[in-house]
Amino acid sequence: MHNYDEPVYLISIVSKILDIHPQTLRQYERENLIMPSRSNGRIRLYSQRDIDKIKLILRLTRELGVNLAGVDIILNLKINIDSMEKEIAELRHEVQVAKSAHSVAPDKSLVTKKSLYEMIIFEDKE
């Protein structure tokens, strides 16, 4: 089995798998929506990640009626969201590590301060 990011599929195979014309794939490349790898002979090679991205593009255009400019915006927003979600997961992990590393009294809490990611221990006022 191939790695998810390993470019192994020719344009003709991808077009058959996805039931689209090879020219459509070339157009997506011209619009910078996809960037297949190139072999030494300049042959386009697609990875499974590329195929999944093309499936998303096809869903956006065919099912939801989004034009290619809109697809570009959506894909860029998706990249930003994925990056932020990863950062949030890392920060949550850091908070969990900090909570378990320091025994915090029940009347104290750990919180994050705005975007500085500073942990502050404070006493709850009841």
Side-chain angles (χ1 to χ4, degrees):
M1 195 70 180
H2 299 286
N3 182 328
Y4 187 66
D5 292 312
E6 186 178 354
V8 294
Y9 301 101
L10 297 170
I11 192 169
S12 59
I13 301 300
V14 174
S15 68
K16 284 181 185 175
I17 290 171
L18 300 175
D19 192 30
I20 59 174
H21 198 279
Q23 195 61 34
T24 304
L25 293 170
R26 291 184 191 100
Q27 179 184 7
Y28 291 169
E29 186 178 359
R30 280 191 304 276
E31 299 284 338
N32 291 318
L33 299 175
I34 57 172
M35 291 179 225
S37 298
R38 299 282 183 146
S39 70
N40 290 341
R42 304 287 296 148
I43 296 172
R44 289 175 179 86
L45 294 173
Y46 297 84
S47 67
Q48 186 60 49
R49 183 179 304 279
D50 294 327
I51 291 173
D52 290 345
K53 188 174 185 180
I54 296 164
K55 285 179 183 178
L56 174 59
I57 293 167
L58 291 172
R59 181 169 183 270
L60 290 169
T61 56
R62 290 179 178 172
E63 296 175 25
L64 301 175
V66 178
N67 65 23
L68 294 183
V71 169
D72 186 40
I73 291 169
I74 291 168
L75 293 177
N76 286 324
L77 288 172
K78 184 178 180 320
I79 290 168
N80 289 339
I81 289 169
D82 291 345
S83 174
M84 287 182 212
E85 285 177 346
K86 182 180 176 190
E87 185 177 359
I88 288 168
E90 290 169 356
L91 291 171
R92 284 186 175 146
H93 176 72
E94 287 180 27
V95 168
Q96 286 298 85
V97 168
K99 280 183 178 179
S100 63
H102 305 306
S103 60
V104 178
D107 62 333
K108 298 185 180 207
S109 304
L110 289 175
V111 297
T112 56
K113 180 182 175 185
K114 295 188 180 177
S115 62
L116 298 177
Y117 309 121
E118 282 181 25
M119 286 187 287
I120 302 170
I121 299 178
F122 66 93
E123 290 185 310
D124 288 332
K125 307 259 184 194
E126 294 190 36

